[in-house]
Amino acid sequence: LDFINYYYLSGVYANPYGNLGISYQTLEVSSSASDISLLSESSLSFSQGFSLLNDRNSTLDIGYSFNIFSLKQAASAGVTGDGSDGLPGNQIYSYGIDLGVLSSLRDKVKLGAFIKNINSPSIGKGSSLQYLPRKLTIGISYIPNKNLRTHFNLERLLGHEDLHFRFGFEYIFNEIFSLRSGIQMKPNCFGFGFKYSPIDIINLSFGIIAGPVMPTTQNLELSVKFK
């Protein structure tokens, strides 16, 4: 959709005190007639992850993120349509905290849990007050051999009864090429793609997602690791 723009950028720095990360993402809706930004939602996240246990048989890691949310609305056109009697533009802020844990056993089974917006943040005030969604995610991965990885995931918005289920797998042919596929329920989606690593520090991923809500979507991702 030409009038919707989405950008995402992130980076991770590994150090002896735990991995530090920063990410920024923004979604902007503009007017197709005048190319004016009507609404933009942005978030800036600072994250840290560190290990609590790491022995021959098991690991236990924990991580958290501090997120700053921004919602910016342009001035309305008003009754006349030229903005002279419309509402002024506004920008409001809020913050949220995410928490996650990840454990593994003998490099065969991995179990993780993640809570988004654990502090129940809200944005706006008065009659326009809205609480940002809180989400609980629980996942398990089973790795029968070094070439095959399977993943199961359950996700629920707190305060809602519906459970969202996902299943995916990755088959690693070699260090350069691997195939990925997965399904999702509520809404039902199917995805298929691959990862290509021509050299050790560069990963190129491509995927196609088909579902009932959005048209078939193509995703291209490039990641670079600095040693």
Side-chain angles (χ1 to χ4, degrees):
L1 301 176
D2 295 335
F3 59 89
I4 296 180
N5 296 312
Y6 176 73
Y7 304 97
Y8 178 85
L9 179 67
S10 66
V12 176
Y13 172 67
N15 63 87
Y17 304 100
N19 295 332
L20 299 175
I22 183 172
S23 65
Y24 176 78
Q25 57 182 324
T26 180
L27 175 68
E28 182 182 63
V29 180
S30 59
S31 171
S32 56
S34 57
D35 202 27
I36 297 176
S37 176
L38 302 177
L39 174 70
S40 65
E41 301 179 9
S42 304
S43 69
L44 178 64
S45 302
F46 301 92
S47 308
Q48 182 183 18
F50 48 90
S51 176
L52 298 179
L53 174 67
N54 189 359
D55 57 29
R56 294 182 59 183
N57 297 319
S58 59
T59 64
L60 178 62
D61 304 312
I62 188 171
Y64 66 90
S65 292
F66 179 79
N67 313 301
I68 302 173
F69 304 113
S70 171
L71 175 64
K72 184 178 181 180
Q73 293 177 309
S76 64
V79 178
T80 60
D82 59 3
S84 59
D85 55 353
L87 298 175
N90 190 23
Q91 187 168 10
I92 51 181
Y93 298 90
S94 185
Y95 72 93
I97 299 174
D98 307 332
L99 180 66
V101 293
L102 177 65
S103 62
S104 67
L105 179 63
R106 299 182 183 275
D107 292 329
K108 290 289 185 180
V109 179
K110 294 185 178 182
L111 178 65
F114 175 76
I115 301 179
K116 185 172 182 61
N117 291 328
I118 193 174
N119 61 319
S120 189
S122 62
I123 197 163
K125 56 184 178 180
S127 60
S128 63
L129 176 68
Q130 291 189 6
Y131 286 93
L132 301 181
R134 293 185 299 161
K135 182 169 61 177
L136 172 64
T137 304
I138 298 176
I140 183 171
S141 297
Y142 176 60
I143 308 172
N145 55 64
K146 65 178 182 179
N147 298 102
L148 180 63
R149 301 176 181 179
T150 59
H151 311 283
F152 303 87
N153 182 77
L154 285 176
E155 183 178 286
R156 179 183 176 184
L157 286 175
L158 299 183
H160 296 73
E161 297 297 329
D162 291 340
L163 283 175
H164 301 273
F165 168 79
R166 295 185 180 95
F167 166 75
F169 75 89
E170 179 180 17
Y171 189 84
I172 304 172
F173 288 91
N174 49 48
E175 297 180 354
I176 298 178
F177 186 79
S178 61
L179 284 178
R180 297 168 172 172
S181 185
I183 59 173
Q184 172 186 289
M185 299 179 62
K186 296 184 180 180
N188 298 335
C189 295
F190 172 76
F192 179 81
F194 65 86
K195 183 182 75 169
Y196 176 63
S197 302
I199 57 178
D200 187 40
I201 63 173
I202 294 179
N203 287 329
L204 180 65
S205 300
F206 177 78
I208 297 177
I209 300 176
V213 180
M214 296 287 289
T216 301
T217 305
Q218 302 180 43
N219 299 277
L220 180 65
E221 176 185 308
L222 174 66
S223 62
V224 180
K225 182 178 181 180
F226 299 93
K227 294 186 176 182

